């Protein structure tokens, strides 16, 4: 469990600065540091085991079926990175305490910083690839927050956006790569994945996996051609740059390559892509670093260059190169973090980062200058400093590799060129800033920074010296165990001595130093040469590209979503046709083997009426009243069809629904515009007719094919158990209230929700109420004809009686709650029509919302009732009783459930129709705004 | 009989689709209603057509119709009504709030132009 705390403590720690900000800046910094420090102690506590060769694992199962666990592991590589992240992170916390001005929100800054720290720890400690990816994305997001910390500056916002876009896109590529790895290996567990190296390399997905994973790594590590975001991320406060661009963010990509080194390396493809990318980045970064006038710009390009160096090392085909890569990761982190901090001090105490103004600072801050110079010399690769050692190893490996076949000699030559420029820009950093005359109109008079602002730099520079002089003692074990983790096997022999004798790598180093001096001495010529090229601002190019992309997306979006229902439907229908075309063509024969029933006169007459009704509706759809009438013909024929084909329940339901639907549409007609102008062009009509005919043809064919195929059904179970298990002979009703009662409960719930939704929509509706019909004739004032009133009054008890009868017999004969509910609703609606709302209001005090609620409650309680008897939800019960006079009757719990259905249906139907009808009267729902 | 039935379902579907592709709310509502007839008939047909078979358990009956599609269609009819009602009221509300009953994305002020309405 110990290991889980390492990422967990900083995660909790993100809240600490926010809570402690009020106690002052120093207190806030100390409190913020406690939890990461505790995490560092845990790591140090675990370190001896790891250095001895153990891999410490710890996991919490989350969704085991999806192979998602919270899994962490600590091996040599993880240990190295965890130490860098936590160690440098703590120094950054101390440094930032003095760097941030009182105007900056310290709590917010520290919170983002610790969040970023958590994310980085998550990456380096994850033992699950999906989890690793989540943390990977979290670094992108938290670095976005950090880079844009000074969000009032445009360059900060743009730089942050650029970093997020590039690294985020890379993250997506990485996710795709990880998913492919998961497909090939069958697991996302890192141990499992690393154990299936050969399987991955030999699968057909290998090229895709490699490219996707490398895209993720290259974007994060600012490798050419994705390097452009890194210099612009310098808009961040310097502590952020020092943290992100030395030990963490950009090293995440390097870490990923090192982590997957045993899995993906070893093929020609890996060596070619990685080494060439690294080489290009190394040269380009080193060259451009020299020309940056901004102190941080120089360091940014230098970072790009050193990242390229590490990538190149990982891409070379010797095992020692991987060791050198790990070594350089450590060395670069230490000297680059201290250089960034020194640059921050200079900026902080002199007010400028422009090397054309910053001159001769040695006089003003000799102590800082000494520290910065040592770190810069380490960057240049001067002996006795750590940068020298790894650069020496790098040179040696460039001579031993054969990555490019017969062209391999080019690598050491270009590596030396890179080193020459590296020396030149390091010299520029030292000479331009600390010597070279007097400062030129700086905003402040430079002076030494506060004591504790220097402390982190001192520690790091001391490390540079210690590693540089006593590499074996200081770093030997850590380097060995990290290299062992990268290589996943035998670590080749290597020696960390400073002096290897007079050999070619040493000659290359000397050459680089001399060349660097020469270039720096003649820098004016080079600057003039470089000045001929127009400077492309990556920010502008990027912004333009983004704008273009967004505009393009906007056009695509407007093409798909132009808020026209017709277009959406068209897309869906065309898509349906395409999807159905292939399987329909594969169906060799439309007609199946089942015997068909000969058509008789009644059916043919019905069919003709139905078709006429449907076609007439289409033809006259703009004449609304006629369209409604013809539509009702269709509905009636459909209900007759149900009756004809042995479905009496359906016939009854369809008939009563037909009545309420037509009433509803008549009411709606009143409120909708009275005319439907001709909208469609003939072209459009032809197109729609074509599509409609195609869909109709497909559906008809399917229907025919379905009906003529043999009938296999699960209904035999229902037929066999309906009477014995459900106590009813009307199987349809027993299915509804018993076998599939839970479905019905869901359905009446939907019905209730729809009705309530309608009620809310009607409320506060601003109405268009026409005073006359479309020809301008006023409505009839004779609103409630006498005959209708009298007859409907007489009919009401009869209709209610019928509905009770239908309800009661539903379990055994056609009928039931749904149909009875609809009949009751129709009976009451008829009273509304015949007498008007005022009349009903006085006589019938029904609250329809309550009715829906009561119905749902009864149905649910009936279901819950079976729990009392220890049975599953909605288990039914029934028994027969003998009553005097009446005879034998059956009582069943399903009837109670059906009562719930009945009430819901009545409530919902009346809530809809009565409220819609009321809109024209003074009884319309309250809070109404008059038009 | 099956042929006639399938033909009716096909024609109902085609009419429904054509109407839902119109540019105003009312034809769309009618089209949806007609489509739901077609869908219900289609679902019902999955139990095959029976003219003589019994629908309710009887001592004398030998063959029964398939009750399962019937149960499905029964609730579908009722829910279909609720949905039609919802669409109708939505159309009314849209007319009340937006001032027109277009569903084709056109502005009422410029009915002839094919300018899509800008999203807010």
């Amino acid at each position: 469990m110990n290991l889980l705390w390492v990422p967990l403590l900083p995660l909790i720690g993100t809240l600490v600065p926010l809570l402690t900000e009020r106690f002052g800046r120093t207190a806030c910094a100390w409190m913020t540091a406690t939890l990461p420090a505790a995490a560092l102690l845990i790591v140090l506590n675990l370190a001896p085991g790891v250095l001895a060769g153990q891999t410490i694992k710890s996991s919490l199962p989350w969704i085991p079926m999806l192979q998602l666990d919270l899994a962490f592991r600590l091996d040599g590589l993880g240990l190295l990175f965890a130490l860098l992240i936590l160690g440098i992170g703590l120094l950054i916390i101390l440094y930032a305490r003095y760097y941030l001005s009182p105007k900056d929100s310290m709590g917010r800054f520290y919170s983002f910083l610790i969040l970023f720290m958590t994310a980085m720890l998550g990456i380096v400690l994850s033992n699950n690839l999906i989890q690793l990816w989540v943390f990977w994305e979290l670094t992108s997001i938290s670095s976005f927050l950090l880079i844009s910390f000074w969000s009032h500056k445009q360059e900060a916002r743009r730089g942050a956006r650029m970093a997020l876009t590039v690294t985020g896109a890379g993250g997506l590529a990485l996710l795709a790569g990880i998913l492919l790895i998961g497909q090939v290996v069958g697991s996302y567990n890192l141990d499992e994945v690393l154990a299936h190296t050969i399987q991955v390399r030999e699968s057909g997905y290998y090229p895709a996996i490699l490219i996707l994973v490398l895209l993720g790594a290259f974007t994060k590590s600012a490798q050419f051609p994705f390097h452009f975001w890194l210099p612009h991320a310098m808009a961040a406060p310097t502590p952020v740059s020092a943290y992100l661009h030395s030990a963490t963010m950009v090293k995440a990509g390097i870490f990923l390559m090192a982590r997957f080194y045993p899995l993906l390396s070893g093929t020609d493809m890996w060596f070619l892509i990685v080494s060439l990318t690294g080489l290009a980045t190394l040269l380009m970064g080193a060259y451009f670093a020299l020309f940056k006038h901004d102190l941080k710009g120089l360091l940014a390009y230098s970072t790009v260059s050193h990242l390229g160096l590490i990538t190149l090392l990982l891409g070379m085909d010797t095992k020692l190169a991987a060791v050198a890569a790990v070594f350089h990761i450590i060395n670069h982190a230490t000297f680059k973090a201290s250089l960034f901090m020194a640059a921050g001090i200079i900026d902080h105490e002199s007010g400028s980062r422009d090397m054309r103004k910053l001159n001769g600072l040695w006089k003003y801050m000799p102590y800082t200058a000494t520290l910065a110079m040592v770190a810069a010399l380490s960057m240049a690769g001067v002996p006795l400093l750590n940068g020298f050692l790894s650069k020496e190893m790098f040179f040696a490996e460039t001579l031993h590799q054969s990555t490019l076949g017969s062209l391999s000699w080019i690598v050491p030559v270009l590596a030396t060129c890179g080193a020459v420029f590296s020396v030149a820009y390091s010299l520029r950093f030292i000479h331009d800033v600390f010597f070279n005359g007097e400062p030129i109109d700086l905003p402040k008079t430079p002076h030494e920074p506060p004591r504790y602002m220097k402390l982190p730099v001192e520690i790091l520079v001391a490390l540079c010296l210690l590693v540089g002089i006593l590499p074996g003692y200081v770093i030997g074990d850590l380097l060995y165990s990290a290299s062992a983790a990268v290589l996943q096997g035998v670590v080749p022999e290597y020696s960390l001595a400073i002096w290897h004798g007079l050999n070619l790598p040493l000659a290359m180093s000397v050459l680089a130093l001399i060349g660097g001096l020469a270039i720096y001495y003649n820098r004016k010529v080079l600057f003039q040469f470089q000045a001929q090229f127009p400077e492309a601002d990556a920010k502008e190019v990027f912004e333009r590209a983004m704008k273009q992309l967004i505009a393009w997306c906007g056009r695509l979006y407007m093409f798909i979503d132009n808020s026209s229902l017709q277009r959406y439907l068209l897309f869906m229908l065309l898509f349906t046709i395409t999807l159905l075309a292939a399987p329909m063509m594969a169906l060799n024969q439309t007609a199946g083997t089942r015997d068909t029933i000969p058509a008789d006169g009644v059916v043919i007459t019905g069919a003709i009426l139905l078709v006429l009704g449907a076609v007439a509706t289409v033809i006259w759809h703009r004449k609304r009243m006629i369209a409604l009438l013809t539509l009702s013909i269709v509905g009636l024929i459909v209900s007759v069809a149900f009756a004809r084909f042995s479905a009496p329940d359906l016939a009854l339901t369809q008939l009563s629904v037909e009545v309420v639907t037509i009433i509803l549409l008549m009411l709606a007609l009143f409120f909708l515009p009275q005319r439907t102008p001709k909208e469609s062009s003939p072209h459009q009509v032809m197109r729609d007719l074509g599509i409609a005919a195609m869909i109709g043809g497909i559906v008809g064919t399917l229907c025919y094919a379905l009906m003529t195929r043999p009938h296999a059904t699960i209904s035999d179970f229902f037929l066999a158990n309906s009477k014995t298990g459900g106590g009813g002979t009307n199987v349809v009703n027993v299915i509804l209230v018993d076998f599939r009662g839970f479905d019905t409960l869901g359905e009446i719930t939907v019905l209730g929700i729809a009705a309530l939704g309608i009620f809310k929509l009607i409320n506060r509706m601003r109405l268009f109420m026409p005073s006359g019909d479309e020809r301008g004739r006023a409505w009839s004032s004779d609103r409630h004809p006498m005959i209708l009133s009298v007859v409907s009054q007489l009919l009401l008890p009869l209709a209610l009686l019928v509905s009770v009868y239908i309800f009661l017999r539903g379990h055994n004969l056609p009928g039931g709650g749904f149909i009875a509910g609809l009949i009751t609703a129709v009976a009451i609606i008829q009273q509304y029509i015949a007498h008007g709302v005022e009349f009903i209001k006085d006589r019938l005090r029904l609250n329809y919302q309550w009715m829906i609620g009561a119905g749902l409650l009864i149905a649910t309680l009936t279901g819950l009732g079976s729990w009392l008897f220890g049975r599953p939800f909605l288990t039914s019960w029934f028994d027969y009783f003998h009553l005097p006079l009446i005879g034998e009757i059956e009582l069943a719990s399903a009837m109670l459930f059906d009562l719930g259905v009945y009430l819901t249906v009545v409530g919902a139907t009346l809530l809809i129709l009565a409220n819609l009808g009321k809109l024209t009267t003074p009884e319309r729902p309250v809070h109404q705004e008059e038009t | 009989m099956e042929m006639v039935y399938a033909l009716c379902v096909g024609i109902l579907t085609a009419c429904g689709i054509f109407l839902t592709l119109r540019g105003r709310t009312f034809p769309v509502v009618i089209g949806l209603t007609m489509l739901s007839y077609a869908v219900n008939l289609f679902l019902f047909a999955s139990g095959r057509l029976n003219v003589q078979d019994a629908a309710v358990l009887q001592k004398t009956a030998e063959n029964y119709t398939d009750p399962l599609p019937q149960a499905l269609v029964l609730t579908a009819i009722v829910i279909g009504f609720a949905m039609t009602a919802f669409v109708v009221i939505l159309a009314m509300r849209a007319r009340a709030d937006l001032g027109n009953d277009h569903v084709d994305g056109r502005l009422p002020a410029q009915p002839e132009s094919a300018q899509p309405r800008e999203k807010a």
Side-chain angles (χ1 to χ4, degrees):
Chain A
M1 282 308 285
N2 236 345
L3 186 58
L4 284 177
W5 287 104
V6 175
L8 203 60
L9 283 177
L11 185 65
I12 301 167
T14 51
L15 295 175
V16 173
L18 297 174
L19 297 173
T20 56
E21 196 180 4
R22 71 185 88 159
F23 302 126
R25 287 146 57 80
T26 309
C28 179
W30 278 108
M31 305 278 243
T32 303
T34 47
L35 287 176
L40 182 62
L41 282 181
I42 294 176
V43 172
L44 287 175
N45 189 31
L46 296 171
V50 176
L51 292 179
Q54 288 177 350
T55 301
I56 297 164
K57 290 174 192 167
S58 170
S59 69
L60 280 179
W62 179 32
I63 310 176
M65 287 165 83
L66 294 176
Q67 300 178 8
L68 289 179
D69 296 330
L70 198 62
F72 293 99
R73 67 182 248 158
L74 187 70
D75 59 0
L77 187 65
L79 175 68
L80 167 64
F81 270 92
L83 288 177
L84 285 176
I85 292 162
L86 287 166
I88 297 188
L90 285 169
L91 297 180
I92 296 286
I93 291 175
L94 176 61
Y95 178 79
R97 152 69 187 86
Y98 295 96
Y99 182 86
L100 292 179
S101 79
K103 277 179 290 180
D104 298 320
S105 161
M106 199 169 223
R108 201 160 61 96
F109 180 83
Y110 277 147
S111 189
F112 292 161
L113 192 76
I114 306 293
L115 180 67
F116 180 79
M117 184 188 279
T118 311
M120 277 306 300
L121 283 172
I123 292 181
V124 300
L125 297 179
S126 281
N127 200 15
N128 180 301
L129 293 185
I130 301 282
Q131 179 193 329
L132 184 149
W133 180 79
V134 170
F135 282 115
W136 180 275
E137 288 301 81
L138 192 59
T139 58
S140 293
I141 293 165
S142 51
S143 67
F144 171 80
L145 294 171
L146 281 170
I147 296 170
S148 65
F149 181 70
W150 285 326
S151 55
H152 54 277
K153 292 186 183 168
Q154 194 203 27
E155 53 165 7
R157 295 196 303 269
R158 282 184 165 189
R161 209 156 54 215
M162 199 192 284
L164 182 67
T165 313
V166 175
T167 58
L172 289 181
L174 175 63
L175 177 63
I178 285 176
L179 291 179
L180 279 180
I181 292 176
Q183 282 292 310
V184 173
V185 178
S187 168
Y188 292 110
N189 186 289
L190 194 60
D191 299 329
E192 288 279 315
V193 169
L194 292 182
H196 290 80
T197 310
I198 297 171
Q199 211 176 327
V200 172
R201 276 189 216 162
E202 286 177 359
S203 82
Y205 290 124
Y206 175 76
I209 293 175
L210 181 65
I211 288 172
L212 289 168
V213 170
L214 286 182
L215 268 177
F218 288 171
T219 48
K220 202 78 158 183
S221 282
Q223 295 297 300
F224 180 81
F226 307 110
H227 63 279
F228 56 87
W229 69 263
L230 196 146
H232 290 286
M234 291 299 139
T238 302
V240 173
S241 312
Y243 196 38
L244 262 61
H245 303 137
S246 64
T248 53
M249 173 84 166
V250 293
K251 289 282 168 65
I254 301 287
F255 170 83
L256 189 75
M257 283 191 270
R259 189 44 109 200
F260 283 147
Y261 190 81
L263 184 71
L264 300 176
S265 75
T267 61
D268 287 346
M269 202 173 167
W270 164 280
F271 290 132
L272 265 182
I273 298 179
V274 178
S275 66
L276 287 181
T277 310
L279 195 59
T281 315
L282 163 70
L283 285 172
M284 191 247 357
Y287 180 74
F288 283 109
L290 184 60
F291 300 106
K292 291 292 147 187
H293 299 302
D294 178 8
L295 212 50
K296 279 175 80 179
L298 184 150
L299 291 178
Y301 274 99
S302 140
T303 301
V304 170
S305 165
H306 280 273
L307 291 168
L309 191 155
I310 300 172
T311 308
L312 172 59
L313 278 170
L314 286 171
M316 289 200 290
D317 57 358
T318 63
K319 290 198 164 183
L320 260 179
V323 179
V326 175
F327 195 23
H328 200 66
I329 290 173
I330 307 172
N331 296 337
H332 176 251
T334 44
F335 70 66
K336 194 49 69 67
S338 52
L339 278 173
F340 267 116
M341 288 189 200
I345 291 176
I346 294 167
D347 183 15
H348 200 255
E349 307 306 340
S350 69
S352 172
R353 294 195 322 232
D354 192 333
M355 277 186 280
R356 285 165 297 190
K357 294 181 182 174
L358 292 166
N359 293 315
L361 289 190
W362 172 263
K363 269 185 281 182
Y364 302 94
M365 37 171 76
Y367 192 72
T368 309
T370 314
L371 292 173
M373 275 153 60
V374 174
L377 289 175
S378 174
M379 174 162 78
V382 170
L384 292 184
L385 292 162
N386 59 355
F388 171 72
L389 293 176
S390 48
K391 196 162 265 188
E392 202 76 340
M393 281 173 94
F394 164 62
F395 285 149
E397 287 321 302
T398 57
L399 294 169
H400 292 143
Q401 49 81 33
S402 53
T403 314
L404 302 181
S406 62
L407 285 177
S408 296
W409 59 268
I410 217 166
V411 178
V413 173
L414 292 178
T416 316
C417 288
V420 167
F421 277 98
S422 174
V423 171
Y425 67 65
S426 303
L427 276 177
R428 182 168 184 221
F429 187 93
I430 296 170
H431 185 255
D432 258 13
V433 176
F434 298 114
F435 306 102
N436 201 19
E438 281 297 307
I440 303 163
D441 71 82
L442 288 177
K444 297 184 200 169
T445 312
H447 56 83
E448 287 283 354
R451 177 75 200 86
Y452 289 106
M453 199 170 179
K454 279 181 296 193
L455 186 65
V457 191
E458 284 165 8
I459 293 174
L460 289 169
V461 168
L463 272 175
C464 288
L465 277 166
L466 270 176
V467 174
I469 297 167
L470 299 167
Y473 293 103
V474 182
I475 205 79
D477 288 346
L478 187 59
L479 178 60
Y480 183 86
S481 81
S483 305
V486 173
L487 293 169
Q488 288 279 309
V490 196
V491 180
E493 286 281 321
Y494 62 89
S495 122
L496 281 178
I498 305 172
W499 180 251
H500 286 111
L502 286 172
N503 55 10
L504 211 47
L506 188 67
M508 288 162 81
S509 276
V510 174
L511 197 66
L513 284 173
I514 296 171
L517 274 168
I519 284 192
Y520 183 66
Y521 191 73
N522 296 310
R523 62 187 181 279
K524 293 226 165 65
V525 184
L526 212 60
F527 272 74
Q528 273 165 9
F529 171 73
Q530 186 60 22
Q532 300 167 13
F533 298 101
E535 205 170 340
D537 190 350
K539 227 168 1 190
E540 297 302 325
V541 177
F542 179 79
E543 286 288 313
R544 256 204 312 279
M546 287 307 284
K547 271 193 188 131
Q548 230 153 24
L549 185 68
I550 288 168
W552 190 77
C553 289
R555 277 202 295 279
L556 183 69
Y557 175 77
M558 282 310 291
F559 173 71
I560 296 169
D561 181 12
N562 66 343
S563 66
S564 160
L565 180 69
Q566 291 162 296
R567 182 165 295 186
Y568 308 153
L569 271 177
L570 200 66
F571 283 140
M572 278 198 280
L573 293 173
L574 289 177
F575 188 62
T576 313
I577 293 173
T578 338
L579 274 188
L580 282 173
M584 292 288 283
M585 283 172 195
L587 197 68
N588 287 324
Q589 205 181 354
T590 315
T593 51
R594 197 179 144 93
D595 294 334
T596 54
I597 310 166
D600 54 26
V602 180
V603 170
I604 290 176
T605 317
I608 290 172
L609 277 174
L610 182 113
V611 171
L612 282 180
V615 172
T617 313
V618 169
I619 292 172
W620 286 314
H621 74 267
R622 290 175 42 233
K623 301 184 172 166
R624 305 187 159 197
M625 196 64 195
I626 296 177
L628 260 192
L629 290 176
T630 49
L631 182 71
S632 65
I633 297 176
V634 178
L636 278 176
I637 302 290
V638 170
S639 48
V640 171
F642 285 139
R644 172 78 185 159
F645 296 117
S646 317
D649 286 280
L650 290 192
L652 283 170
T653 317
Q654 181 69 54
L655 194 64
S656 32
V657 163
E658 197 52 39
V659 174
V660 285
T661 306
I662 297 298
I663 294 172
L664 172 85
L665 290 178
M666 298 260 284
L667 280 169
L669 269 191
F670 180 76
F671 297 106
L672 290 172
Q674 293 178 327
R675 290 185 191 84
T676 305
K678 200 171 162 67
E679 294 272 1
S680 315
S681 61
H683 169 76
Q684 213 173 358
V685 170
M686 286 312 288
R687 183 196 70 187
D688 293 350
L689 275 176
I691 289 170
M694 257 194 279
I695 299 268
I698 288 173
V699 172
T701 314
L702 272 180
C703 188
Y704 183 69
L706 178 76
M707 282 187 294
T708 51
R709 284 193 165 44
H711 184 211
T713 174
I714 56 169
S715 298
D716 294 336
F717 170 82
F718 300 126
L719 289 168
N721 291 291
S722 175
K723 179 74 180 162
T724 50
T729 52
N730 182 5
V731 189
V732 175
N733 183 269
V734 176
I735 290 177
L736 284 176
V737 297
D738 193 337
F739 293 127
R740 309 293 308 163
F742 200 50
D743 291 354
T744 310
L745 184 61
E747 267 146 355
I748 56 174
T749 312
V750 172
L751 191 66
I753 292 171
L756 291 176
I758 288 168
F759 183 64
K760 283 308 283 181
L761 278 174
I762 289 175
N763 239 333
R764 291 176 164 276
M765 178 139 56
R766 288 181 298 119
L767 284 169
F768 291 86
M769 274 194 278
S771 55
D773 71 359
E774 55 185 293
R775 289 181 207 161
R777 291 176 297 201
W779 303 117
S780 164
S781 58
D782 186 13
R783 290 167 65 184
H784 305 297
M786 178 67 117
I787 297 176
L788 184 61
S789 310
V790 173
V791 172
S792 70
Q793 223 162 340
L794 280 174
L795 273 176
L796 179 66
L798 272 176
L800 291 179
L801 202 63
V802 167
S803 75
V804 171
Y805 172 64
I806 292 273
F807 176 80
L808 285 178
R809 71 174 212 162
H811 216 44
N812 290 313
L813 289 167
F818 275 110
I819 301 165
L822 285 165
I823 293 175
T824 309
V826 171
I828 295 176
I829 283 296
Q830 195 191 24
Q831 304 308 309
Y832 274 104
I833 295 170
H835 301 289
V837 177
E838 293 88 348
F839 179 87
I840 302 295
K841 194 187 73 168
D842 296 338
R843 289 164 181 78
L844 193 68
R845 296 173 191 281
L846 284 178
N847 184 326
Y848 303 126
Q849 287 115 294
W850 281 103
M851 216 156 156
I852 296 173
L856 287 177
L857 201 65
I858 290 173
T860 314
L861 286 179
T862 312
L864 291 177
S866 48
W867 284 357
L868 292 180
F869 303 96
R871 299 294 176 81
F873 187 64
L874 273 171
T875 309
S876 69
W877 162 91
F878 66 92
D879 209 345
Y880 299 92
F881 298 92
H882 192 84
L883 289 185
L885 286 178
I886 297 173
E888 187 164 280
I889 65 151
E890 180 196 356
L891 285 178
S893 65
M895 277 183 105
L896 208 56
F897 183 80
D898 220 9
L899 180 67
V901 174
Y902 170 83
L903 285 176
T904 314
V905 171
V906 174
T909 315
L910 285 176
L911 189 67
I912 297 167
L913 290 179
N915 280 306
L916 191 55
K918 274 184 202 168
L919 280 175
T920 54
T921 70
E923 299 298 325
R924 71 185 75 119
V926 285
H927 308 302
Q928 173 105 9
E929 289 167 40
E930 294 294 333
T931 47
Chain B
M1 191 101 74
E2 277 81 359
M3 184 70 92
V4 178
Y5 189 92
L7 199 70
C8 289
V9 173
I11 288 177
L12 274 184
T13 313
C15 292
I17 295 278
F18 180 80
L19 286 174
T20 47
L21 283 170
R22 299 301 93 212
R24 300 287 186 129
T25 50
F26 191 71
V28 173
V29 172
I30 297 185
L32 283 177
T33 313
M34 211 178 290
L35 259 185
S36 63
Y37 291 145
V39 171
N40 288 340
L41 284 175
F42 185 93
L43 282 181
F44 175 66
S46 67
R48 311 298 184 271
L49 298 186
N50 292 296
V51 188
Q52 257 105 47
D53 297 349
V56 173
L57 295 182
Q58 286 161 356
K59 288 208 173 82
T60 53
E62 283 180 4
N63 292 320
Y64 291 102
T65 58
D66 193 343
L68 194 60
Q70 294 196 19
L72 291 178
V73 172
L74 198 151
T75 45
I77 293 171
V78 181
I79 296 272
F81 163 70
M83 289 306 122
T84 308
F86 198 85
V87 171
V88 165
I89 306 295
L90 209 57
M92 284 169 51
R93 182 76 198 228
R95 197 218 172 185
D97 290 358
L98 305 174
N100 70 85
D101 66 338
H102 281 267
V103 288
D104 52 4
R106 290 182 198 175
L107 283 173
Q110 44 193 45
E112 294 314 312
S113 80
Q115 279 289 315
R117 197 170 68 225
E118 290 286 338
K119 289 225 129 184

